[in-house]
């Protein structure tokens, strides 16, 4: 008899703010060929020969600014989502992280130990990217084939344009918007430009002119397009004019060309253009983490105010809001239902 379960998968986090733990985490993360897509030798040379010599100490200090008594914000929030979802569904729910623990293998094992052999795996990323959704699916399939060959996995697809998600995100943003603001900035995690082209099997993507087209064959694989689409749909729900919002991309690594415009450069330039009161949200993330709490809410704030801005309002992620848990439930139930149709 088949038994179903749900596995929620997020990015992951170091197990502590100790430099050695951060180094171990960064090693696994940055050595993923879907994150830094160089050949293994050059990737190893860059990551282990250069980055891991200096970055872990700096990252450890950054993690200390966001770490809570309960632990890593990303892990803690994902656990809260899992517990709330478990109360709403009648199948087991576990979590797994793409990097570090609890791993995807650990999460699947916990479900298997409860008799589960059909899993809905939910990568907690709204938009599709090689370094997020794709690497989660690849890793899960690798683990399944090696350790759980009798387990079936059904994946929740990117939900960047789903109405239930857009409604949820727009309502959350609307409740947290300040009364008076000059602009609403949507800051998404960046990726190298070459990732966009690598993930486009249609070979029709042109970053210069197709991201904001209504239709293009590459759109189902184009992270940049999906970020623009999420923004447009949210603005429509908020009834905000497009000229009052902007899309930017954060968290660049290395000297390669990443998708533009860049968040940090934009924050430094906005006050010169008359934007003194800024609201900013990070819709590539469903859970607050280092990239939102430290990079945007702390560093971004300093950049904007130092450049002449007067008010900086960071809007938190969906985290464990009840309306978001309902969206997670609905998206998972759609995939659970598919098992019955096979």
């Amino acid at each position: 008899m088949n038994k179903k379960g749900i596995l929620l998968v997020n990015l992951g986090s170091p197990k502590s703010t100790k430099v050695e733990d951060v180094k171990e985490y960064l090693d696994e993360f940055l050595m993923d060929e879907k994150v830094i897509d160089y050949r293994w030798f050059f990737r190893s040379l860059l990551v282990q020969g250069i980055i891991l010599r200096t970055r872990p100490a700096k990252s450890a200090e950054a993690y200390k600014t966001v770490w809570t008594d309960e632990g890593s914000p990303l892990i803690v929030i994902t656990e809260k989502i899992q517990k709330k979802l478990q109360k709403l569904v009648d199948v087991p729910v576990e979590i797994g992280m793409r990097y570090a623990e609890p791993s995807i293998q650990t999460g699947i094992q916990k479900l298997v130990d409860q008799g589960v052999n059909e899993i809905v795996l939910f990568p907690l990323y709204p938009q599709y990217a090689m370094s997020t959704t794709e690497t989660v699916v690849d890793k899960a399939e690798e683990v399944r084939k090696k350790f759980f060959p009798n387990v079936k996995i059904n994946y929740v697809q990117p939900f960047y344009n789903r109405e239930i998600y857009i409604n949820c995100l727009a309502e959350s943003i609307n409740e947290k918007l300040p009364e008076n603001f000059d602009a609403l900035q949507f800051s998404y995690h960046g990726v190298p430009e070459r990732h966009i082209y690598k993930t486009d099997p249609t070979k029709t993507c042109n970053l210069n002119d197709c991201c904001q087209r209504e239709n293009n064959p590459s759109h189902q694989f184009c992270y940049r397009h999906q970020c623009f689409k999420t923004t447009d749909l949210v603005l429509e729900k908020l009834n905000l004019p497009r000229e009052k919002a902007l899309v930017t991309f954060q968290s660049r690594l290395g000297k390669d060309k990443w998708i533009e415009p860049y968040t940090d450069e934009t924050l430094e330039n906005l006050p010169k253009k008359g934007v003194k009161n800024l609201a900013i949200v990070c819709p590539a993330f469903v859970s607050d983490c280092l990239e939102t709490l430290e990079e945007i809410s702390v560093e971004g704030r300093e950049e904007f105010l130092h450049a002449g801005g007067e008010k900086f309002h960071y809007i938190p992620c969906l985290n464990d809001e009840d309306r978001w848990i309902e969206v997670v439930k609905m998206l998972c139930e759609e995939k659970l239902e598919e098992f019955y149709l096979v």
Side-chain angles (χ1 to χ4, degrees), residues 1-7 86 90-94 107-121 147-154 336 339:
M1 183 176 176
N2 294 330
K3 183 175 180 180
K4 295 160 186 59
I6 296 170
L7 184 66
Q86 185 64 84
D90 57 2
V91 301
V93 181
E94 297 293 344
I108 294 177
Q109 186 65 62
K110 285 185 176 181
L111 290 171
V112 169
D113 289 345
Q114 297 172 72
V116 170
N117 59 1
E118 293 183 337
I119 297 173
V120 167
L121 190 149
F147 300 104
F148 311 101
N150 297 321
V151 170
K152 294 179 181 178
I153 301 181
N154 207 358
L336 286 169
F339 280 124

Side-chain angles (χ1 to χ4, degrees), residues 49-315:
I50 300 176
I51 296 176
L52 293 185
R53 292 182 181 272
T54 57
R55 192 177 179 91
K58 294 178 182 177
S59 293
E61 289 303 310
Y63 273 109
K64 287 177 184 177
T65 67
V66 303
W67 215 259
T68 70
D69 292 340
E70 299 167 283
S72 158
L74 183 140
I75 302 289
V76 171
I77 292 167
T78 308
E79 288 173 341
K80 288 180 178 178
I81 294 171
Q82 178 259 326
K83 289 172 183 174
K84 283 191 171 184
L85 179 63
Q86 185 64 84
K87 293 178 180 179
L88 300 179
V89 297
D90 57 2
V91 301
V93 181
E94 297 293 344
I95 67 170
M97 299 291 149
R98 175 58 185 88
Y99 311 104
E101 288 292 337
S103 66
I104 291 173
Q105 182 179 341
T106 299
I108 294 177
Q109 186 65 62
K110 285 185 176 181
L111 290 171
V112 169
D113 289 345
Q114 297 172 72
V116 170
N117 59 1
E118 293 183 337
I119 297 173
V120 167
L121 190 149
F122 191 163
L124 292 168
Y125 307 105
Q127 300 84 19
Y128 175 87
M130 184 169 89
S131 54
T132 56
T133 311
E134 187 172 313
T135 189
V136 165
V137 173
D138 285 356
K139 185 64 177 180
E141 284 302 305
E142 175 190 315
V143 167
R144 184 189 65 79
K145 290 173 183 175
K146 186 174 181 179
F147 300 104
F148 311 101
N150 297 321
V151 170
K152 294 179 181 178
I153 301 181
N154 207 358
Y155 297 93
V156 175
Q157 302 302 311
F159 48 94
Y160 69 97
N161 60 349
R162 293 291 302 272
E163 187 173 9
I164 54 173
Y165 164 68
I166 295 298
N167 287 340
C168 172
L169 181 58
E171 288 172 10
S172 181
I173 292 172
N174 191 49
E175 287 180 4
K176 301 175 182 72
L177 272 174
E179 284 190 20
N180 298 302
F181 61 96
D182 299 324
L184 173 59
Q185 183 170 347
F186 290 74
S187 179
Y188 294 87
H189 200 289
V191 298
E193 283 191 351
R194 66 178 181 275
H195 282 203
I196 303 293
Y197 293 115
K198 277 190 171 185
T199 56
D200 174 25
T202 72
K203 305 304 177 188
T204 62
C205 179
N206 182 340
L207 285 170
N208 292 323
D209 73 350
C210 79
C211 283
Q212 290 180 292
R213 285 186 201 162
E214 185 61 32
N215 293 297
N216 202 68
S218 65
H219 283 175
Q220 63 179 310
F221 308 103
C222 181
Y223 173 74
R224 190 167 182 263
H225 160 75
Q226 294 181 11
C227 293
F228 280 120
K229 189 65 176 179
T230 298
T231 303
D232 289 342
L233 291 171
V234 168
L235 290 176
E236 187 179 325
K237 291 291 181 182
L238 293 174
N239 199 27
L240 279 177
R242 189 66 180 82
E243 56 268 22
K244 194 159 184 174
L246 59 152
V247 173
T248 61
F249 299 91
Q250 64 183 81
S251 310
R252 298 195 309 282
L253 176 67
K255 298 181 180 180
D256 294 321
K257 183 72 178 295
W258 284 47
I259 55 176
E260 295 178 314
Y262 300 142
T263 294
D264 53 357
E265 292 180 0
T266 302
L267 288 171
E268 292 173 359
N269 290 324
L270 281 175
K272 302 171 190 174
K273 298 178 179 179
V275 176
K276 301 293 186 178
N277 188 347
L278 179 70
I280 188 167
V281 65
C282 300
F285 307 91
V286 298
S287 310
D288 274 310
C289 54
L290 185 71
E291 285 81 0
T292 64
L293 298 172
E294 196 273 339
E295 184 180 352
I296 298 300
S297 188
V298 176
E299 287 189 9
R301 181 188 306 273
E302 290 176 0
E303 289 167 348
F304 179 72
L305 298 178
H306 182 72
E310 296 173 1
K311 293 183 179 179
F312 182 97
H313 186 84
Y314 170 67
I315 297 173

Side-chain angles (χ1 to χ4, degrees), residues 327-339:
V327 173
V328 175
K329 172 178 176 285
M330 292 171 71
L331 292 173
C332 287
E333 285 180 341
E334 287 179 358
K335 291 298 175 179
L336 286 169
E337 187 65 27
E338 288 180 9
F339 280 124

Side-chain angles (χ1 to χ4, degrees), residues 15-29:
K15 55 189 174 186
S16 82
T17 59
K18 293 179 181 177
V19 174
E20 56 267 32
D21 288 338
V22 175
K23 183 176 182 179
E24 180 182 359
Y25 170 76
L26 289 177
D27 187 27
E28 182 182 2
F29 173 43

